[in-house]
Amino acid sequence: MKSILISVLILVCNTNYCFSQDNTYILDADTGNEMDDFYAIVQAIITPKMELISLNSAQFNSVQIFVDSIWNGNKVKNFNSVQISQNFNEQVLKKLNRMDIPHPMGCETHLGYAWGYYPTAPVPKSPATDFIIQKAKKASPDKKLKVICIGASTNLAAAIETAPEIAKNIHAFILGAQYDNESKAWNKNEFNIQRDLNAFDALLNQIDLEMTIMPISTARPFEFNKKETLRKLYEYKHPVTNLLADMWTTINAGNQRVMWDLALIIAIQKPELATMKDLAAPPENKKDTVHVYTSIEVDKMYNDFWKSLDLYLLKN
């Protein structure tokens, strides 16, 4: 009888509906900014390697937004970047029939002031930061809350600055910055980090926070070709794949696209497809070391994405 029960438990835990805390994540996405967020979100939701307990929207404010009249097809007048991300997040969830996944809106503004962050500077608040705080307080240093930021890390940094005691209970996965493997130098002059440099610095100054970073220099080789990608996606004739194809032209992406965000998601889901090292953190910050993805298996990641779609569509 005992052996039968064990066999049943093993069978159940091999289905898509049995998740351990080891593969539950919060995903923070600036979905309104670029189209690779859509691919990353879909990959995160459709594979049994990962369960999202929340899909948060992230802001992607830029000085250029207030100079140009158009940003990626969006008129700048009355521009609210986090609301755009929120709307797209809900659109993806509806296509996937996964509106059951919590999807709180993130902060509208960056952490602190444009000239820096310090203890008396303002900390933005949002439903997303509240959600992170709530879940992190239930976590522990042994069973950490895992938060993935594929855009600005505003929501996570604001949550920790609001409740510093939660830092030890969180493992942050960040896409951003550049790292030179030869000179061993960091460069923060990169889109995601520049959307909230204060937030990234605040996280790197949290000694108790575990951080894993995928520099954009590591993700850069992971490119999709527009013509080939759209051909494959439209052949499926499914609402989800049609959305992914449509977004390539809705949000300006060119003929070749680096799938930055997708690279991080697959690296987390399939650790064997990426090389990680513990490296010195930027010297201007308080942390000594961070986990860093230094290389990825580009072809295998590409095949994994299409295999994930194939398996999902067979069941849907």
Side-chain angles (χ1 to χ4, degrees):
M1 183 67 181
K2 182 177 179 181
S3 62
I4 294 175
L5 179 59
I6 292 173
S7 298
V8 171
L9 287 173
I10 292 173
L11 178 62
V12 171
C13 286
N14 280 334
T15 69
N16 291 357
Y17 302 98
C18 182
F19 296 98
S20 69
Q21 189 170 1
D22 288 342
N23 64 349
T24 58
Y25 295 82
I26 289 175
L27 178 58
D28 233 58
D30 59 340
T31 318
N33 178 53
E34 295 178 317
M35 47 76 70
D36 50 304
D37 292 76
F38 289 84
Y39 291 68
I41 293 169
V42 168
Q43 176 76 14
I45 292 176
I46 68 175
T47 66
K49 292 285 185 179
M50 183 176 285
E51 180 192 18
L52 294 192
I53 60 172
S54 176
L55 174 61
N56 303 342
S57 51
Q59 60 84 15
F60 52 96
N61 299 334
S62 166
V63 172
Q64 192 173 351
I65 287 174
F66 301 101
V67 176
D68 294 345
S69 59
I70 298 290
W71 180 263
N72 278 348
N74 298 298
K75 292 184 178 180
V76 171
K77 186 177 181 181
N78 299 323
F79 189 83
N80 185 332
S81 66
V82 75
Q83 183 65 64
I84 296 171
S85 293
Q86 181 71 20
N87 293 344
F88 277 133
N89 282 355
E90 293 178 10
Q91 184 177 349
V92 177
L93 292 175
K94 287 176 182 176
K95 292 289 185 183
L96 290 165
N97 294 317
R98 290 303 313 270
M99 286 294 284
D100 59 297
I101 297 175
H103 42 279
M105 184 180 291
C107 302
E108 292 188 9
T109 61
H110 59 256
L111 189 71
Y113 297 111
W115 54 87
Y117 175 72
Y118 40 86
T120 59
V123 176
K125 300 183 183 301
S126 70
T129 60
D130 291 341
F131 188 90
I132 293 171
I133 293 170
Q134 173 194 350
K135 294 299 181 181
K137 285 184 175 180
K138 295 178 180 179
S140 70
D142 294 327
K143 295 183 178 179
K144 296 185 178 185
L145 174 69
K146 293 182 283 295
V147 183
I148 307 170
C149 298
I150 54 177
S153 52
T154 306
N155 298 329
L156 176 58
I160 293 175
E161 292 301 308
T162 300
E165 70 276 10
I166 67 174
K168 64 182 181 299
N169 296 341
I170 295 175
H171 183 173
F173 294 82
I174 308 293
L175 174 71
Q178 302 182 65
Y179 184 79
D180 189 306
N181 288 311
E182 294 185 5
S183 66
K184 305 186 185 307
W186 287 94
N187 183 350
K188 296 177 182 177
N189 187 16
E190 177 274 320
F191 186 88
N192 281 353
I193 304 307
Q194 289 298 327
R195 299 293 67 74
D196 197 341
L197 175 59
N198 292 342
F200 189 56
D201 274 334
L203 295 179
L204 285 168
N205 286 331
Q206 288 287 343
I207 303 297
D208 293 332
L209 176 68
E210 183 175 4
M211 288 183 70
T212 296
I213 300 174
M214 175 172 281
I216 65 162
S217 43
T218 298
R220 192 179 299 280
F222 191 42
E223 286 192 351
F224 278 28
N225 174 267
K226 178 180 180 179
K227 184 177 180 180
E228 178 68 9
T229 302
L230 267 56
R231 180 187 65 78
K232 288 185 175 184
L233 290 172
Y234 283 131
E235 282 180 355
Y236 286 113
K237 297 180 180 179
H238 188 278
V240 172
T241 53
N242 287 344
L243 174 66
L244 293 179
D246 292 344
M247 282 302 110
W248 195 300
T249 51
T250 300
I251 299 178
N252 183 25
N255 293 322
Q256 290 284 128
R257 178 66 192 172
V258 179
M259 293 298 193
W260 322 94
D261 303 340
L262 181 59
L264 176 57
I265 296 298
I266 296 177
I268 296 170
Q269 293 177 336
K270 297 285 187 70
E272 68 273 17
L273 300 186
T275 299
M276 182 189 295
K277 297 180 181 179
D278 285 347
L279 301 175
E284 65 272 19
N285 296 112
K286 294 180 181 179
K287 287 188 71 65
D288 291 328
T289 62
V290 290
H291 312 309
V292 181
Y293 289 111
T294 56
S295 66
I296 57 175
E297 297 278 355
V298 173
D299 292 340
K300 291 181 180 179
M301 281 191 168
Y302 180 84
N303 292 334
D304 186 79
F305 171 74
W306 294 107
K307 182 179 179 181
S308 297
L309 276 181
D310 286 338
L311 292 174
Y312 170 77
L313 296 174
L314 280 174
K315 301 175 182 178
N316 296 275

